[in-house]
Amino acid sequence: MKNKFIKVVLSCTVIAGGLTVTSCSKSTSSKNVSRATGWNINAKEGGFQYNTDFKEQETAPGLVFVEGGTFTKGKVQDDVMHDWNNTPTSQHVQSFYMDETEVTNVMYLEYLDYLKSVYPPENPKYANIYKGALPDTLVWRNRLGFNETMTNNYLRHPAYAEYPVVGVNWIQATQFAKWRTDRVNEVMLEREGYLSKDAKYQAASGEVAGTFSTEAYLNRPESVYNGQIDSLQGKMKKDSTSTFAKRSSGVIMPEYRLPTETEWEYAAQAQVGSREYNNYRGRKKYPWDGDYTRNGQRVGRGDQLANFKQGKGDYGGIAGWSDDGADITAEVMSYKPNDLGLYDMAGNVSEWVADVYRPIVDDEVSDFNYFRGNIYMKSAIGEDGKVNILRDSIVYDTLPNGKLVAVNLPGEIKMVPVDEDETYLRTNFSTSDNIGYRDGDAGSSRFYNRFSDEEDSDKAKMYNSPKHRIDRDSIGNITRQYDESNSRTSLINDEVRVYKGGSWRDRAYWLDPAQRRYLPQYMATDDIGFRCAMSRVGSKSKTKNKTVRGKKAK
């Protein structure tokens, strides 16, 4: 094959004194010609394949674009609880996407229906997959309250379809986000012709054994749908160079996930609508402008702007005018969105975020995309040199309350912690688990040796939390051992997660985006839900907002 090379344009400049200098500026006549080698990109004859037509990341289903920026994280006004856990720090957040609303009951029911279809619970091998994903509907019960209607109806009755799902613990929320990633990418691959139109439905209905995993598709596409992907490929199969999509194809969306605490707080503040100095410095009290919870505008004056507890025994106000329209949760989009177009960033339900809770945000080490909870993993490589796919294996996590949750399903890649191959002589990280970095490890305190654990004297414990034990015998029976020690000094450990925002059970104090609380990641309540986020790849701003030296980009 003959290579087509770049056309070269020569421009000459005459300098005083009779000297002529020729400056060569090379410009490509085609975006499909490499500026490095002059070779063709995406040549029909083969060679390097790359999406040179990619413009920018599109907004995935359910999400709203949030342009990143600088803000003051942490509350600077009221602190009547004296927690001292939200000291103001200046942080920068990269652009990302966030769900327009909380995940609703009908969205979560779609997830449960998929699991039930693909992994039938009547099959003993799959019995705990569906069961482990079920929300805890008993969270509605109260010893001295009649709430059985919500216990029996809230999750499944169509009257509550567009209400935020509750009773979901942090682990279940992360598993939902993982499932959602795969389902959305199936749609994207179908749209671009890499999968046939009925592939996703054949897998969901059980016509095709196995299912689709994004990471498995990227690393070993032949393993997807239990090795039956050849029969489910779309029109792109006709082109031998584009049988499978790669990351370089620009088709695969980044993963859905829980937002970090920093992202959530930044999105809730929505400073884009008001760039006053006080707001930039962290003095914006609510997701809306103003210091009050009622609407001060001419239209709708006096209406409540969120669903929250207004006083002792007052969950909605007097029926009729001035009522907030809800006694428990409210249907999503019942109140005005903030300036980013996000609904219920205050009130309705509190929301899980990704971070492990610590009372102090360590901005001395990181003031860019701050997040505590990194556990770095890598794909397990088999003896054949390829990534290890879990064919019929299911990896379960036994939670401290005895429940089983599937953290790896058949068809997914087996993940293992990073080891010395990745950490040796690195300066930016040295271990797989970084949850306790500078806050519980040897570098956290000069009084480190004072913190000790009688069961593990080699590992100091800055947070001396209870250690409840749970085991299963060879036939699956559970043995529980409650920690009755009276020497425990804290409830904080590496398994407590932050949740943000006030709920229908909370007073207005908790509506401030900077307020933060925590709960063990295996627990669920009737007032904590969640929404998903997605990182943005590429430019900070959307194309229509890009500027070049003060001028709008063409």
Short mmCIF file of all heavy atoms in Angstrom, two decimals, residues 71-76 86-92 265 361-364 366-367 370:
data_model
loop_
_atom_site.label_atom_id
_atom_site.label_comp_id
_atom_site.label_asym_id
_atom_site.label_seq_id
_atom_site.Cartn_x
_atom_site.Cartn_y
_atom_site.Cartn_z
N PHE A 71 -14.60 26.21 44.45
CA PHE A 71 -15.60 26.62 45.44
C PHE A 71 -15.06 26.36 46.83
O PHE A 71 -14.02 25.71 47.01
CB PHE A 71 -16.91 25.87 45.21
CG PHE A 71 -16.96 24.48 45.78
CD1 PHE A 71 -17.84 24.16 46.80
CD2 PHE A 71 -16.13 23.47 45.30
CE1 PHE A 71 -17.90 22.88 47.33
CE2 PHE A 71 -16.19 22.19 45.81
CZ PHE A 71 -17.07 21.89 46.83
N THR A 72 -15.77 26.86 47.82
CA THR A 72 -15.39 26.62 49.21
C THR A 72 -16.21 25.47 49.75
O THR A 72 -17.44 25.57 49.90
CB THR A 72 -15.61 27.87 50.07
OG1 THR A 72 -14.80 28.93 49.57
CG2 THR A 72 -15.24 27.60 51.52
N LYS A 73 -15.57 24.38 50.02
CA LYS A 73 -16.22 23.19 50.57
C LYS A 73 -16.25 23.30 52.09
O LYS A 73 -15.26 23.65 52.71
CB LYS A 73 -15.44 21.94 50.14
CG LYS A 73 -15.91 20.63 50.77
CD LYS A 73 -15.01 19.50 50.28
CE LYS A 73 -15.22 18.22 51.07
NZ LYS A 73 -16.53 17.62 50.81
N GLY A 74 -17.39 23.02 52.68
CA GLY A 74 -17.51 23.10 54.13
C GLY A 74 -18.31 24.31 54.57
O GLY A 74 -18.25 25.37 53.96
N LYS A 75 -19.03 24.17 55.62
CA LYS A 75 -19.95 25.21 56.07
C LYS A 75 -19.20 26.32 56.79
O LYS A 75 -18.24 26.08 57.48
CB LYS A 75 -20.99 24.59 57.01
CG LYS A 75 -22.15 25.52 57.36
CD LYS A 75 -23.18 24.75 58.13
CE LYS A 75 -24.29 25.66 58.62
NZ LYS A 75 -24.98 26.35 57.55
N VAL A 76 -19.67 27.56 56.63
CA VAL A 76 -19.03 28.70 57.30
C VAL A 76 -20.02 29.51 58.12
O VAL A 76 -19.68 30.55 58.64
CB VAL A 76 -18.34 29.62 56.26
CG1 VAL A 76 -17.23 28.89 55.56
CG2 VAL A 76 -19.35 30.15 55.25
N ASN A 86 -16.81 20.16 59.20
CA ASN A 86 -16.97 20.80 57.90
C ASN A 86 -16.23 22.13 57.85
O ASN A 86 -16.78 23.15 57.45
CB ASN A 86 -18.46 20.98 57.57
CG ASN A 86 -19.25 21.49 58.76
OD1 ASN A 86 -18.69 21.96 59.74
ND2 ASN A 86 -20.56 21.42 58.68
N THR A 87 -14.98 22.09 58.27
CA THR A 87 -14.14 23.28 58.21
C THR A 87 -13.96 23.71 56.76
O THR A 87 -13.67 22.88 55.89
CB THR A 87 -12.75 22.98 58.81
OG1 THR A 87 -12.93 22.50 60.14
CG2 THR A 87 -11.91 24.23 58.84
N PRO A 88 -14.15 24.98 56.45
CA PRO A 88 -14.07 25.44 55.05
C PRO A 88 -12.71 25.17 54.43
O PRO A 88 -11.67 25.44 55.04
CB PRO A 88 -14.34 26.94 55.15
CG PRO A 88 -15.07 27.12 56.44
CD PRO A 88 -14.54 26.06 57.37
N THR A 89 -12.72 24.62 53.24
CA THR A 89 -11.50 24.42 52.47
C THR A 89 -11.78 24.79 51.02
O THR A 89 -12.87 24.55 50.50
CB THR A 89 -11.02 22.96 52.53
OG1 THR A 89 -12.01 22.11 51.93
CG2 THR A 89 -10.78 22.51 53.95
N SER A 90 -10.81 25.35 50.36
CA SER A 90 -10.95 25.71 48.95
C SER A 90 -10.63 24.49 48.10
O SER A 90 -9.57 23.87 48.25
CB SER A 90 -10.02 26.87 48.60
OG SER A 90 -10.19 27.26 47.26
N GLN A 91 -11.55 24.12 47.21
CA GLN A 91 -11.40 22.93 46.40
C GLN A 91 -11.71 23.23 44.94
O GLN A 91 -12.47 24.14 44.63
CB GLN A 91 -12.36 21.83 46.88
CG GLN A 91 -12.11 21.33 48.28
CD GLN A 91 -10.91 20.42 48.37
OE1 GLN A 91 -10.53 19.78 47.39
NE2 GLN A 91 -10.30 20.34 49.55
N HIS A 92 -11.10 22.43 44.06
CA HIS A 92 -11.43 22.52 42.64
C HIS A 92 -12.01 21.18 42.20
O HIS A 92 -11.50 20.12 42.56
CB HIS A 92 -10.21 22.86 41.79
CG HIS A 92 -10.56 23.15 40.36
ND1 HIS A 92 -10.84 24.42 39.91
CD2 HIS A 92 -10.71 22.33 39.29
CE1 HIS A 92 -11.14 24.38 38.63
NE2 HIS A 92 -11.08 23.12 38.23
N GLU A 265 -21.53 18.31 46.85
CA GLU A 265 -21.67 19.61 47.49
C GLU A 265 -21.55 20.74 46.48
O GLU A 265 -22.28 21.73 46.52
CB GLU A 265 -20.62 19.76 48.59
CG GLU A 265 -20.80 20.98 49.47
CD GLU A 265 -19.86 20.98 50.65
OE1 GLU A 265 -19.57 19.88 51.19
OE2 GLU A 265 -19.41 22.07 51.06
N VAL A 361 -11.25 17.11 56.44
CA VAL A 361 -10.88 17.03 55.03
C VAL A 361 -9.44 17.51 54.89
O VAL A 361 -9.12 18.65 55.24
CB VAL A 361 -11.82 17.91 54.17
CG1 VAL A 361 -11.33 17.97 52.74
CG2 VAL A 361 -13.24 17.35 54.22
N ASP A 362 -8.58 16.66 54.40
CA ASP A 362 -7.14 16.94 54.34
C ASP A 362 -6.81 17.68 53.05
O ASP A 362 -6.34 17.10 52.07
CB ASP A 362 -6.35 15.64 54.44
CG ASP A 362 -4.85 15.87 54.63
OD1 ASP A 362 -4.43 17.04 54.55
OD2 ASP A 362 -4.13 14.91 54.86
N ASP A 363 -7.04 19.00 53.04
CA ASP A 363 -6.77 19.77 51.82
C ASP A 363 -5.29 20.11 51.69
O ASP A 363 -4.87 20.65 50.67
CB ASP A 363 -7.60 21.05 51.80
CG ASP A 363 -7.25 21.99 52.92
OD1 ASP A 363 -6.87 21.49 54.01
OD2 ASP A 363 -7.37 23.22 52.75
N GLU A 364 -4.47 19.80 52.68
CA GLU A 364 -3.03 20.02 52.55
C GLU A 364 -2.44 19.08 51.50
O GLU A 364 -1.46 19.41 50.85
CB GLU A 364 -2.34 19.81 53.89
CG GLU A 364 -2.66 20.87 54.94
CD GLU A 364 -1.88 20.64 56.22
OE1 GLU A 364 -1.05 19.70 56.24
OE2 GLU A 364 -2.09 21.39 57.19
N SER A 366 -4.53 17.29 49.10
CA SER A 366 -5.27 17.35 47.85
C SER A 366 -6.37 18.40 47.91
O SER A 366 -7.22 18.35 48.80
CB SER A 366 -5.89 15.98 47.53
OG SER A 366 -6.65 16.05 46.34
N ASP A 367 -6.32 19.34 46.99
CA ASP A 367 -7.40 20.30 46.84
C ASP A 367 -7.97 20.23 45.42
O ASP A 367 -8.60 21.16 44.94
CB ASP A 367 -6.93 21.73 47.16
CG ASP A 367 -5.73 22.16 46.33
OD1 ASP A 367 -5.34 21.41 45.41
OD2 ASP A 367 -5.17 23.23 46.62
N TYR A 370 -11.05 16.23 45.49
CA TYR A 370 -10.81 15.56 46.77
C TYR A 370 -11.76 14.38 46.96
O TYR A 370 -12.97 14.48 46.72
CB TYR A 370 -11.00 16.54 47.93
CG TYR A 370 -10.65 15.93 49.27
CD1 TYR A 370 -9.35 15.99 49.75
CD2 TYR A 370 -11.61 15.27 50.03
CE1 TYR A 370 -9.01 15.42 50.96
CE2 TYR A 370 -11.27 14.69 51.25
CZ TYR A 370 -9.97 14.77 51.70
OH TYR A 370 -9.66 14.19 52.90
#
